Amino acid sequence: MTDLPEIHGLCPARFGAVKDAFAANFVDAPEGLNELAARFSVTIDGEVAVDLWAGSADVAGRTPFTEKTLVPVFSTGKAVMALMIARCVDKGLLSYEDRVADHWPAFGSAGKDHLTVGQLMSHQSGLPGFDGGVEPEIWFDRQAVLDRLAAQTPLWEPGTASGYHPITIGYLAGELFRLVDGRSMGTALREDFAQPFDLDLWIGLPESEHGRVAQLRKPAAAPDLGPIDPIKKAAFLDRGSAPGGRGSTEWRMAEIPSANLHGTAKDLARMMSIVATSGALDNLLVLSERTLAAATRERIHGQDKVLPYVMSWAAGFTRNTGLNVFGPNPEAVGHCGWGGSMAFADPATGVSAAYVMTRQSPHLIGDPRALRLVEALYAAL
Protein backbone atom coordinates (compact mmCIF):
# COMPACT_ATOMS: atom_id res chain seq x y z
CA MET A 1 0.00 0.00 0.00
CA THR A 2 1.11 3.57 -0.69
CA ASP A 3 -0.27 6.92 0.33
CA LEU A 4 -3.05 8.36 -1.78
CA PRO A 5 -2.10 11.72 -3.32
CA GLU A 6 -4.59 14.54 -3.63
CA ILE A 7 -6.92 13.97 -6.58
CA HIS A 8 -7.75 16.98 -8.71
CA GLY A 9 -10.23 17.75 -11.45
CA LEU A 10 -13.86 17.19 -12.34
CA CYS A 11 -16.00 14.26 -11.22
CA PRO A 12 -19.75 14.66 -10.67
CA ALA A 13 -21.33 12.48 -7.98
CA ARG A 14 -22.82 10.26 -10.68
CA PHE A 15 -19.28 9.09 -11.47
CA GLY A 16 -18.13 8.61 -7.90
CA ALA A 17 -17.19 4.99 -8.64
CA VAL A 18 -14.82 6.23 -11.35
CA LYS A 19 -13.04 8.45 -8.83
CA ASP A 20 -12.89 5.52 -6.42
CA ALA A 21 -11.31 3.34 -9.11
CA PHE A 22 -8.86 6.10 -9.99
CA ALA A 23 -7.86 6.40 -6.32
CA ALA A 24 -7.55 2.62 -5.96
CA ASN A 25 -5.01 2.54 -8.80
CA PHE A 26 -2.68 4.63 -6.64
CA VAL A 27 -2.87 2.50 -3.51
CA ASP A 28 -3.98 -0.96 -4.59
CA ALA A 29 -3.49 -1.38 -8.32
CA PRO A 30 -3.66 -4.75 -10.04
CA GLU A 31 -0.30 -6.53 -10.29
CA GLY A 32 1.28 -4.01 -7.93
CA LEU A 33 1.26 -1.31 -10.62
CA ASN A 34 0.45 1.49 -8.20
CA GLU A 35 0.31 4.79 -10.02
CA LEU A 36 2.99 7.45 -9.67
CA ALA A 37 0.87 9.89 -11.68
CA ALA A 38 -2.13 9.42 -13.94
CA ARG A 39 -5.02 11.19 -15.62
CA PHE A 40 -8.35 9.83 -16.81
CA SER A 41 -10.73 11.93 -18.88
CA VAL A 42 -14.16 11.23 -20.36
CA THR A 43 -16.42 13.10 -22.75
CA ILE A 44 -20.10 12.36 -23.26
CA ASP A 45 -21.70 13.74 -26.41
CA GLY A 46 -18.58 15.86 -26.88
CA GLU A 47 -18.64 17.50 -23.45
CA VAL A 48 -16.00 16.79 -20.81
CA ALA A 49 -17.81 14.83 -18.07
CA VAL A 50 -14.92 13.46 -16.00
CA ASP A 51 -11.35 14.73 -15.76
CA LEU A 52 -9.19 13.39 -12.92
CA TRP A 53 -5.46 13.71 -12.30
CA ALA A 54 -3.07 13.11 -9.43
CA GLY A 55 0.53 12.32 -8.56
CA SER A 56 3.97 13.70 -9.38
CA ALA A 57 5.27 14.58 -12.82
CA ASP A 58 8.79 13.56 -11.84
CA VAL A 59 10.00 10.24 -10.47
CA ALA A 60 11.52 11.95 -7.44
CA GLY A 61 8.06 13.19 -6.42
CA ARG A 62 8.94 16.87 -6.24
CA THR A 63 6.92 18.25 -9.17
CA PRO A 64 3.11 17.99 -9.07
CA PHE A 65 1.32 16.47 -12.05
CA THR A 66 -1.06 19.22 -13.20
CA GLU A 67 -3.68 19.77 -15.88
CA LYS A 68 -0.87 21.23 -18.04
CA THR A 69 1.43 18.21 -17.73
CA LEU A 70 2.12 16.45 -21.02
CA VAL A 71 2.62 12.68 -21.29
CA PRO A 72 4.16 10.76 -24.20
CA VAL A 73 1.53 8.19 -25.15
CA PHE A 74 3.43 6.18 -27.75
CA SER A 75 1.04 4.07 -29.87
CA THR A 76 -2.09 5.65 -28.43
CA GLY A 77 -1.22 8.43 -30.86
CA LYS A 78 -2.09 6.08 -33.72
CA ALA A 79 -5.75 6.91 -33.05
CA VAL A 80 -4.98 10.57 -33.79
CA MET A 81 -2.99 9.49 -36.85
CA ALA A 82 -6.03 7.57 -38.09
CA LEU A 83 -8.20 10.67 -37.72
CA MET A 84 -5.68 12.77 -39.65
CA ILE A 85 -5.75 10.32 -42.56
CA ALA A 86 -9.55 10.29 -42.36
CA ARG A 87 -9.50 14.08 -42.79
CA CYS A 88 -7.61 13.64 -46.06
CA VAL A 89 -10.25 11.15 -47.21
CA ASP A 90 -13.02 13.53 -46.19
CA LYS A 91 -11.45 16.37 -48.18
CA GLY A 92 -11.19 14.18 -51.27
CA LEU A 93 -7.41 14.06 -51.22
CA LEU A 94 -7.40 10.30 -50.64
CA SER A 95 -9.65 7.27 -50.79
CA TYR A 96 -9.15 4.17 -48.68
CA GLU A 97 -9.52 2.24 -51.93
CA ASP A 98 -6.68 4.14 -53.65
CA ARG A 99 -3.47 2.28 -54.21
CA VAL A 100 -0.70 3.77 -52.09
CA ALA A 101 1.50 3.74 -55.19
CA ASP A 102 -0.97 6.05 -56.98
CA HIS A 103 0.22 8.80 -54.64
CA TRP A 104 3.71 7.48 -53.87
CA PRO A 105 5.06 5.67 -56.96
CA ALA A 106 8.31 4.56 -55.34
CA PHE A 107 6.33 2.59 -52.78
CA GLY A 108 4.94 0.30 -55.49
CA SER A 109 8.16 -1.70 -55.87
CA ALA A 110 8.89 -5.22 -54.60
CA GLY A 111 5.30 -6.48 -54.77
CA LYS A 112 3.57 -3.57 -53.05
CA ASP A 113 1.97 -2.03 -56.14
CA HIS A 114 -1.57 -3.19 -55.34
CA LEU A 115 -1.64 -2.31 -51.64
CA THR A 116 -4.50 0.08 -50.86
CA VAL A 117 -4.57 2.93 -48.38
CA GLY A 118 -7.08 1.00 -46.28
CA GLN A 119 -4.79 -2.03 -46.21
CA LEU A 120 -1.80 0.10 -45.30
CA MET A 121 -3.66 1.70 -42.39
CA SER A 122 -4.81 -1.72 -41.13
CA HIS A 123 -1.26 -3.08 -40.86
CA GLN A 124 -1.40 -5.29 -43.95
CA SER A 125 1.61 -3.95 -45.86
CA GLY A 126 4.10 -6.51 -44.57
CA LEU A 127 6.47 -3.79 -43.37
CA PRO A 128 6.36 -3.98 -39.55
CA GLY A 129 10.10 -3.31 -39.39
CA PHE A 130 13.27 -3.49 -41.43
CA ASP A 131 14.34 -6.72 -43.13
CA GLY A 132 18.01 -6.30 -42.30
CA GLY A 133 20.35 -4.78 -39.79
CA VAL A 134 19.96 -1.05 -39.23
CA GLU A 135 21.17 1.26 -36.50
CA PRO A 136 18.59 2.84 -34.18
CA GLU A 137 19.64 6.31 -35.37
CA ILE A 138 18.01 5.69 -38.76
CA TRP A 139 14.63 6.72 -37.32
CA PHE A 140 15.87 10.29 -36.99
CA ASP A 141 16.47 10.41 -40.76
CA ARG A 142 12.94 10.41 -42.13
CA GLN A 143 13.95 10.15 -45.77
CA ALA A 144 16.28 7.23 -45.10
CA VAL A 145 13.42 5.37 -43.40
CA LEU A 146 11.03 6.10 -46.26
CA ASP A 147 13.52 5.10 -48.95
CA ARG A 148 14.31 1.85 -47.16
CA LEU A 149 10.66 0.91 -46.61
CA ALA A 150 9.60 1.85 -50.14
CA ALA A 151 12.25 -0.44 -51.62
CA GLN A 152 11.79 -3.29 -49.14
CA THR A 153 10.16 -6.59 -50.02
CA PRO A 154 7.22 -7.25 -47.66
CA LEU A 155 7.68 -9.86 -44.94
CA TRP A 156 4.40 -11.47 -46.07
CA GLU A 157 2.11 -11.02 -49.05
CA PRO A 158 0.43 -7.61 -48.65
CA GLY A 159 -3.29 -7.72 -48.08
CA THR A 160 -3.37 -11.32 -46.83
CA ALA A 161 -2.89 -10.76 -43.09
CA SER A 162 -2.31 -8.08 -40.51
CA GLY A 163 0.93 -7.69 -38.60
CA TYR A 164 1.10 -4.72 -36.27
CA HIS A 165 3.55 -2.04 -37.43
CA PRO A 166 4.71 -0.43 -34.15
CA ILE A 167 6.68 2.47 -35.65
CA THR A 168 6.90 2.10 -39.44
CA ILE A 169 3.19 2.86 -39.93
CA GLY A 170 3.78 6.39 -38.67
CA TYR A 171 6.38 7.07 -41.36
CA LEU A 172 4.29 5.42 -44.07
CA ALA A 173 1.04 7.18 -43.15
CA GLY A 174 2.91 10.41 -42.49
CA GLU A 175 4.47 10.41 -45.95
CA LEU A 176 1.15 9.58 -47.60
CA PHE A 177 -0.39 12.50 -45.70
CA ARG A 178 2.41 14.86 -46.75
CA LEU A 179 2.13 13.86 -50.41
CA VAL A 180 -1.60 14.58 -50.64
CA ASP A 181 -1.92 17.46 -48.14
CA GLY A 182 1.40 19.24 -48.61
CA ARG A 183 2.05 19.58 -44.86
CA SER A 184 3.55 17.25 -42.32
CA MET A 185 1.01 15.49 -40.14
CA GLY A 186 2.34 17.27 -37.07
CA THR A 187 1.91 20.67 -38.71
CA ALA A 188 -1.62 19.82 -39.83
CA LEU A 189 -2.55 18.57 -36.37
CA ARG A 190 -1.42 21.87 -34.92
CA GLU A 191 -3.06 24.07 -37.57
CA ASP A 192 -6.33 22.18 -38.07
CA PHE A 193 -7.04 20.92 -34.55
CA ALA A 194 -4.69 22.01 -31.77
CA GLN A 195 -4.90 25.74 -32.39
CA PRO A 196 -8.56 26.20 -33.45
CA PHE A 197 -9.94 23.77 -30.84
CA ASP A 198 -7.42 24.43 -28.06
CA LEU A 199 -6.16 20.84 -28.01
CA ASP A 200 -2.87 20.24 -26.20
CA LEU A 201 -1.75 17.50 -28.60
CA TRP A 202 1.60 17.42 -30.38
CA ILE A 203 3.25 15.25 -33.03
CA GLY A 204 6.70 16.76 -32.83
CA LEU A 205 7.00 18.66 -29.55
CA PRO A 206 8.84 22.03 -29.68
CA GLU A 207 11.70 22.28 -27.22
CA SER A 208 9.90 25.17 -25.54
CA GLU A 209 7.28 22.67 -24.28
CA HIS A 210 9.65 20.00 -22.98
CA GLY A 211 9.58 21.31 -19.43
CA ARG A 212 5.93 20.21 -19.18
CA VAL A 213 6.62 16.55 -20.00
CA ALA A 214 6.20 13.98 -17.23
CA GLN A 215 8.97 11.49 -16.50
CA LEU A 216 8.12 7.84 -17.06
CA ARG A 217 9.16 4.74 -15.17
CA LYS A 218 9.75 1.95 -17.65
CA PRO A 219 8.05 -1.42 -17.21
CA ALA A 220 9.76 -4.01 -15.06
CA ALA A 221 9.29 -6.72 -17.69
CA ALA A 222 9.14 -7.00 -21.47
CA PRO A 223 5.75 -7.53 -23.15
CA ASP A 224 4.68 -11.05 -24.00
CA LEU A 225 4.75 -11.41 -27.78
CA GLY A 226 4.22 -15.16 -27.83
CA PRO A 227 6.55 -17.38 -29.89
CA ILE A 228 9.23 -15.25 -31.54
CA ASP A 229 9.80 -15.41 -35.29
CA PRO A 230 11.58 -13.13 -37.82
CA ILE A 231 8.49 -10.95 -38.29
CA LYS A 232 8.16 -10.22 -34.57
CA LYS A 233 11.91 -9.65 -34.32
CA ALA A 234 11.77 -7.08 -37.10
CA ALA A 235 8.83 -5.32 -35.46
CA PHE A 236 10.00 -5.24 -31.86
CA LEU A 237 13.28 -6.97 -31.06
CA ASP A 238 15.99 -6.19 -33.62
CA ARG A 239 18.62 -3.65 -32.61
CA GLY A 240 17.22 -1.05 -34.99
CA SER A 241 13.53 -1.79 -34.40
CA ALA A 242 13.03 1.39 -32.32
CA PRO A 243 14.59 4.87 -32.31
CA GLY A 244 17.76 5.25 -30.28
CA GLY A 245 21.18 6.76 -30.15
CA ARG A 246 19.91 10.28 -29.60
CA GLY A 247 18.68 12.11 -26.52
CA SER A 248 15.10 12.63 -25.42
CA THR A 249 15.13 16.19 -26.82
CA GLU A 250 15.58 14.99 -30.40
CA TRP A 251 13.08 12.17 -29.93
CA ARG A 252 10.39 14.53 -28.64
CA MET A 253 10.98 17.01 -31.47
CA ALA A 254 10.83 14.38 -34.23
CA GLU A 255 7.49 13.84 -35.95
CA ILE A 256 6.68 10.15 -35.51
CA PRO A 257 2.86 9.93 -35.65
CA SER A 258 2.87 6.27 -34.60
CA ALA A 259 5.06 6.62 -31.54
CA ASN A 260 5.74 10.03 -30.01
CA LEU A 261 2.53 12.01 -29.67
CA HIS A 262 2.61 14.09 -26.47
CA GLY A 263 -0.61 15.36 -24.96
CA THR A 264 -3.13 15.35 -22.16
CA ALA A 265 -5.81 12.77 -21.45
CA LYS A 266 -8.50 15.45 -21.65
CA ASP A 267 -7.56 16.49 -25.15
CA LEU A 268 -7.09 12.93 -26.35
CA ALA A 269 -10.62 12.22 -25.16
CA ARG A 270 -11.85 15.39 -26.88
CA MET A 271 -10.13 14.42 -30.13
CA MET A 272 -11.70 10.95 -29.96
CA SER A 273 -15.10 12.53 -29.38
CA ILE A 274 -15.09 13.12 -33.15
CA VAL A 275 -15.77 9.39 -33.52
CA ALA A 276 -18.27 9.29 -30.64
CA THR A 277 -20.39 12.20 -31.94
CA SER A 278 -20.79 11.40 -35.65
CA GLY A 279 -17.89 13.59 -36.73
CA ALA A 280 -18.25 16.69 -34.55
CA LEU A 281 -15.69 18.44 -32.36
CA ASP A 282 -17.00 21.21 -30.11
CA ASN A 283 -20.28 21.01 -32.10
CA LEU A 284 -18.48 21.72 -35.38
CA LEU A 285 -18.58 18.97 -38.02
CA VAL A 286 -15.02 17.98 -38.95
CA LEU A 287 -15.66 14.53 -40.50
CA SER A 288 -18.66 13.27 -42.43
CA GLU A 289 -20.51 10.20 -41.20
CA ARG A 290 -19.62 8.48 -44.46
CA THR A 291 -15.91 8.98 -43.88
CA LEU A 292 -16.21 7.93 -40.24
CA ALA A 293 -17.94 4.73 -41.28
CA ALA A 294 -15.15 3.99 -43.75
CA ALA A 295 -12.43 4.81 -41.21
CA THR A 296 -13.84 2.66 -38.43
CA ARG A 297 -15.21 -0.38 -40.25
CA GLU A 298 -13.40 -3.68 -40.07
CA ARG A 299 -10.68 -4.04 -42.71
CA ILE A 300 -9.24 -7.37 -41.57
CA HIS A 301 -9.91 -9.81 -38.73
CA GLY A 302 -7.68 -12.65 -37.65
CA GLN A 303 -4.55 -13.73 -35.83
CA ASP A 304 -2.08 -10.87 -36.06
CA LYS A 305 1.44 -11.75 -37.19
CA VAL A 306 3.09 -9.47 -34.63
CA LEU A 307 0.72 -9.12 -31.69
CA PRO A 308 -0.30 -12.31 -29.85
CA TYR A 309 -3.98 -11.57 -30.36
CA VAL A 310 -6.78 -12.10 -32.83
CA MET A 311 -7.24 -8.53 -34.03
CA SER A 312 -9.97 -6.61 -35.78
CA TRP A 313 -8.33 -3.64 -37.50
CA ALA A 314 -10.02 -0.58 -38.95
CA ALA A 315 -8.15 2.07 -40.95
CA GLY A 316 -5.67 2.90 -38.21
CA PHE A 317 -7.90 2.13 -35.25
CA THR A 318 -7.99 -0.97 -33.07
CA ARG A 319 -11.54 -2.27 -33.05
CA ASN A 320 -12.91 -3.52 -29.76
CA THR A 321 -14.27 -6.72 -31.33
CA GLY A 322 -12.99 -9.68 -29.33
CA LEU A 323 -10.73 -7.57 -27.12
CA ASN A 324 -13.28 -5.86 -24.86
CA VAL A 325 -10.81 -3.26 -23.63
CA PHE A 326 -12.85 -0.21 -24.71
CA GLY A 327 -16.04 -1.03 -22.84
CA PRO A 328 -18.78 -3.50 -23.79
CA ASN A 329 -19.52 -2.27 -27.33
CA PRO A 330 -17.66 -4.34 -29.96
CA GLU A 331 -17.96 -1.42 -32.40
CA ALA A 332 -15.92 0.93 -30.19
CA VAL A 333 -12.53 1.90 -31.60
CA GLY A 334 -9.34 3.32 -30.19
CA HIS A 335 -5.72 2.47 -29.53
CA CYS A 336 -3.45 1.46 -26.67
CA GLY A 337 0.13 2.61 -26.18
CA TRP A 338 3.33 1.18 -24.76
CA GLY A 339 3.16 1.15 -20.99
CA GLY A 340 -0.61 1.29 -20.62
CA SER A 341 -2.06 4.50 -22.07
CA MET A 342 -5.19 4.30 -24.19
CA ALA A 343 -7.87 6.37 -25.92
CA PHE A 344 -11.16 5.20 -27.39
CA ALA A 345 -14.57 6.22 -28.66
CA ASP A 346 -17.92 4.44 -28.42
CA PRO A 347 -20.52 5.85 -30.83
CA ALA A 348 -23.27 3.74 -29.24
CA THR A 349 -23.08 5.75 -26.00
CA GLY A 350 -21.51 8.98 -27.26
CA VAL A 351 -18.56 8.31 -24.93
CA SER A 352 -14.89 8.90 -25.54
CA ALA A 353 -12.16 8.51 -22.95
CA ALA A 354 -8.41 8.55 -22.48
CA TYR A 355 -6.03 7.31 -19.82
CA VAL A 356 -2.40 8.35 -19.40
CA MET A 357 0.07 7.39 -16.69
CA THR A 358 3.76 7.58 -15.80
CA ARG A 359 4.38 4.09 -14.39
CA GLN A 360 4.47 1.84 -17.43
CA SER A 361 3.33 -1.78 -17.45
CA PRO A 362 4.28 -4.60 -19.85
CA HIS A 363 0.72 -4.94 -21.19
CA LEU A 364 0.47 -4.47 -24.96
CA ILE A 365 -3.31 -4.04 -24.86
CA GLY A 366 -5.68 -3.68 -21.91
CA ASP A 367 -3.62 -2.40 -19.01
CA PRO A 368 -5.53 -3.55 -15.88
CA ARG A 369 -5.55 -0.01 -14.43
CA ALA A 370 -7.28 1.32 -17.53
CA LEU A 371 -9.70 -1.62 -17.57
CA ARG A 372 -10.68 -0.86 -13.96
CA LEU A 373 -11.46 2.75 -14.90
CA VAL A 374 -13.44 1.84 -18.01
CA GLU A 375 -15.46 -0.76 -16.11
CA ALA A 376 -16.35 1.82 -13.45
CA LEU A 377 -17.26 4.34 -16.16
CA TYR A 378 -19.72 2.04 -17.92
CA ALA A 379 -21.25 0.94 -14.64
CA ALA A 380 -22.06 4.62 -13.99
CA LEU A 381 -23.59 5.36 -17.40
Side-chain angles (χ1 to χ4, degrees):
M1 299 286 287
T2 57
D3 292 335
L4 177 64
E6 183 178 358
I7 296 175
H8 305 272
L10 168 71
C11 189
R14 171 188 176 190
F15 296 104
V18 176
K19 189 173 183 179
D20 291 344
F22 186 77
N25 279 344
F26 280 85
V27 297
D28 190 22
E31 303 174 18
L33 293 167
N34 288 356
E35 304 281 23
L36 301 174
R39 189 171 184 179
F40 183 59
S41 304
V42 179
T43 78
I44 300 176
D45 297 330
E47 298 293 328
V48 177
V50 176
D51 185 22
L52 297 168
W53 67 89
S56 299
D58 64 327
V59 175
R62 299 190 185 98
T63 304
F65 189 104
T66 74
E67 62 182 328
K68 297 295 185 183
T69 301
L70 297 173
V71 180
V73 298
F74 303 98
S75 289
T76 296
K78 289 182 173 75
V80 175
M81 179 185 75
L83 285 168
M84 297 302 292
I85 291 293
R87 277 275 284 182
C88 289
V89 172
D90 211 48
K91 293 192 288 186
L93 303 174
L94 271 180
S95 165
Y96 290 117
E97 282 64 56
D98 289 350
R99 299 185 311 157
V100 176
D102 291 337
H103 303 281
W104 182 4
F107 182 83
S109 65
K112 303 188 296 296
D113 51 321
H114 293 296
L115 187 81
T116 68
V117 173
Q119 290 171 327
L120 174 75
M121 294 301 297
S122 52
H123 301 271
Q124 299 184 63
S125 75
L127 301 173
F130 297 113
D131 60 359
V134 298
E135 294 300 311
E137 292 90 347
I138 191 175
W139 299 99
F140 295 96
D141 184 342
R142 186 185 66 87
Q143 195 57 52
V145 172
L146 294 173
D147 291 345
R148 178 88 181 231
L149 292 174
Q152 184 170 304
T153 299
L155 299 182
W156 65 87
E157 183 181 348
T160 62
S162 74
Y164 180 54
H165 294 36
I167 301 176
T168 55
I169 188 64
Y171 288 81
L172 299 170
E175 177 64 359
L176 186 61
F177 186 96
R178 186 194 67 80
L179 288 168
V180 301
D181 181 272
R183 299 171 293 173
S184 72
M185 191 177 287
T187 298
L189 175 64
R190 184 173 64 252
E191 293 177 351
D192 295 355
F193 290 99
Q195 291 173 348
F197 295 99
D198 192 25
L199 296 176
D200 204 358
L201 301 176
W202 308 79
I203 298 173
L205 185 68
E207 193 167 5
S208 60
E209 306 294 330
H210 290 193
R212 297 197 287 134
V213 178
Q215 295 178 352
L216 303 182
R217 179 176 290 181
K218 292 183 179 180
D224 180 9
L225 295 171
I228 302 302
D229 59 22
I231 292 174
K232 293 181 182 182
K233 286 185 65 178
F236 275 115
L237 301 174
D238 284 346
R239 171 176 164 78
S241 62
R246 305 284 177 90
S248 59
T249 296
E250 285 196 60
W251 179 77
R252 290 171 182 163
M253 293 177 68
E255 290 195 18
I256 311 175
S258 52
N260 78 340
L261 185 139
H262 290 67
T264 69
K266 183 182 79 170
D267 292 326
L268 279 168
R270 290 178 61 211
M271 187 80 177
M272 289 302 290
S273 73
I274 296 169
V275 180
T277 60
S278 302
L281 179 58
D282 290 353
N283 297 312
L284 181 67
L285 192 68
V286 296
L287 281 181
S288 68
E289 290 194 48
R290 179 178 179 180
T291 297
L292 265 180
T296 59
R297 75 166 177 83
E298 185 174 272
R299 299 275 164 175
I300 192 165
H301 186 183
Q303 177 60 53
D304 197 82
K305 287 184 171 293
V306 172
L307 297 176
Y309 308 111
V310 173
M311 298 293 295
S312 173
W313 288 109
F317 297 107
T318 303
R319 287 171 50 83
N320 201 33
T321 304
L323 295 175
N324 302 315
V325 294
F326 304 139
N329 179 13
E331 298 300 309
V333 299
H335 220 288
C336 298
W338 180 52
S341 65
M342 66 88 184
F344 76 93
D346 177 4
T349 57
V351 164
S352 66
Y355 164 74
V356 304
M357 74 299 127
T358 61
R359 167 171 270 161
Q360 296 183 290
S361 83
H363 293 273
L364 292 166
I365 293 176
D367 185 290
R369 297 165 296 181
L371 293 178
R372 172 188 267 176
L373 293 167
V374 172
E375 181 179 358
L377 169 63
Y378 274 87
L381 291 177

